[in-house]
Amino acid sequence: MNGDSHLRFLDWDLTKSRYNETDALPLMATPGPVLMILALYLLYVLKIGPSLMTKREPYKLKAALVLYNGIQVVGSVYLAQRYFVQLMQQGILPRTCHLDIENERTEILVSIWFYFAAKVTELLDTVFFVMRKKDNQVTFLHLYHHSIMMVGTWAYLKYWPSTTLIFIGFLNSMVHVFMYTYYGLAALGPEVAKYIFWKKYITKIQLIQFVCIIIHYNTAVRYSECPPSNGVATFVACNTVFFLLLFLNFYRQSYNRVNKQCNGISNKEKCVNSIKEE
């Protein structure tokens, strides 16, 4: 057997970005930092945090929660308006491959990076749950959602960036404006939380969001001049459907739990509201 017949392996370089501009953005040069963040996150919320809190009273964290949720609201408003402007300029379903236009590519990549950065900060949601001993809220849905959104957005930006994420980012940021506004106001105490009427609509809005994303993404893949690979398109579609099913199951279980606990209670509306604030 001569030297030219040796086995050849695929040359996978996980540090190589689709566009060189991506590597200049924080945390984007190599997969190491984002994987370290994910590992520390899961280690803390699944092992270290619960262990430290075993013999401790839950922290109130009122000021921290109000500040954190306020920052998330401001950040979500900024992202929503940034993405809205880009959607108006490029179109909701652009046929032109704007990533091929040099003076537009950097702006698109930075916009996607901001979305990734938001996913990193949102990991604190779970950290606060652990510190407040809200163990019932650290579910598979919660952990999977936060983990895959951070890592998935990083990989999307690094290897297969697409303007379709601008639409996804716009919808998600709008949902987060309402969601974090609720959590920020609820952190002020039950005397404020009882007047917040949109808590029961948040999960419904999230479900509508996933349906819109599935429709938009599959349509954009068909019409765009630079669609992602079939593998990426399949993963995004399947993962969004998975999210939809998980949130549907969460909504159904929450609805059944509330109705079961309040069954037979005269003031049912008050009972429902008190359970939803848990």
Side-chain angles (χ1 to χ4, degrees):
M1 184 178 292
N2 58 46
D4 293 332
S5 61
H6 64 274
L7 290 175
R8 301 180 66 180
F9 296 92
L10 291 175
D11 183 19
W12 286 358
D13 184 358
L14 295 179
T15 66
K16 184 175 178 57
S17 301
R18 176 72 179 272
Y19 299 103
N20 293 331
E21 295 94 326
T22 305
D23 290 337
L25 298 170
L27 303 177
M28 295 306 304
T30 68
V34 73
L35 293 178
M36 181 64 71
I37 292 172
L38 177 64
L40 291 174
Y41 165 71
L42 293 175
L43 183 62
Y44 177 81
V45 301
L46 292 176
K47 185 68 177 177
I48 297 176
S51 178
L52 291 174
M53 294 302 299
T54 299
K55 296 181 180 180
R56 287 183 170 89
E57 290 295 317
Y59 293 102
K60 299 297 183 183
L61 302 176
K62 181 176 179 178
L65 289 172
V66 171
L67 177 62
Y68 168 72
N69 287 292
I71 292 173
Q72 290 292 350
V73 171
V74 172
S76 296
V77 169
Y78 169 75
L79 290 179
Q81 67 84 26
R82 182 186 180 101
Y83 298 144
F84 178 78
V85 170
Q86 288 182 276
L87 288 172
M88 291 301 98
Q89 292 174 343
Q90 301 171 4
I92 296 178
L93 290 169
R95 293 184 63 88
T96 302
C97 187
H98 292 276
L99 283 165
D100 287 343
I101 304 172
E102 188 172 352
N103 62 339
E104 293 187 33
R105 182 165 60 240
T106 299
E107 183 181 357
I108 294 170
L109 294 176
V110 170
S111 292
I112 298 174
W113 183 87
F114 276 131
Y115 187 70
F116 159 68
K119 300 303 119 183
V120 176
T121 66
E122 289 164 17
L123 298 181
L124 287 173
D125 288 359
T126 326
V127 174
F128 289 135
F129 285 157
V130 172
M131 295 178 70
R132 297 167 66 209
K133 300 187 80 168
K134 299 281 187 178
D135 298 333
N136 61 312
Q137 295 180 314
V138 185
T139 61
F140 170 77
L141 166 59
H142 181 87
L143 292 175
Y144 177 78
H145 178 255
H146 281 284
S147 299
I148 199 67
M149 287 303 298
M150 182 187 69
V151 176
T153 305
W154 182 92
Y156 198 89
L157 172 58
K158 179 78 171 177
Y159 307 117
W160 318 283
S162 167
T163 53
T164 54
L165 198 71
I166 302 301
F167 178 79
I168 295 173
F170 172 72
L171 281 185
N172 191 242
S173 297
M174 289 297 295
V175 171
H176 282 191
V177 169
F178 293 102
M179 187 179 75
Y180 283 110
T181 297
Y182 167 79
Y183 287 132
L185 293 174
L188 295 173
E191 63 278 2
V192 175
K194 65 183 179 182
Y195 295 109
I196 310 172
F197 65 89
W198 64 86
K199 162 66 172 176
K200 59 184 177 182
Y201 299 115
I202 291 177
T203 303
K204 292 180 181 179
I205 294 173
Q206 289 173 316
L207 293 172
I208 295 172
Q209 169 195 210
F210 293 134
V211 173
C212 290
I213 288 172
I214 292 170
I215 294 172
H216 175 269
Y217 191 84
N218 283 281
T219 305
V221 165
R222 292 174 181 270
Y223 284 92
S224 174
E225 290 183 359
C226 53
S229 66
N230 290 334
V232 175
T234 300
F235 172 78
V236 172
C238 291
N239 190 63
T240 308
V241 170
F242 188 43
F243 274 149
L244 178 62
L245 295 175
L246 288 174
F247 274 83
L248 275 171
N249 184 59
F250 168 77
Y251 179 79
R252 179 181 59 81
Q253 289 183 344
S254 298
Y255 180 82
N256 290 340
R257 179 177 68 91
V258 169
N259 279 278
K260 183 177 180 180
Q261 289 183 237
C262 295
N263 188 35
I265 296 177
S266 56
N267 195 339
K268 189 171 183 179
E269 183 177 357
K270 184 178 181 180
C271 174
V272 169
N273 289 334
S274 64
I275 292 174
K276 286 183 176 181
E277 299 307 326
E278 292 178 0

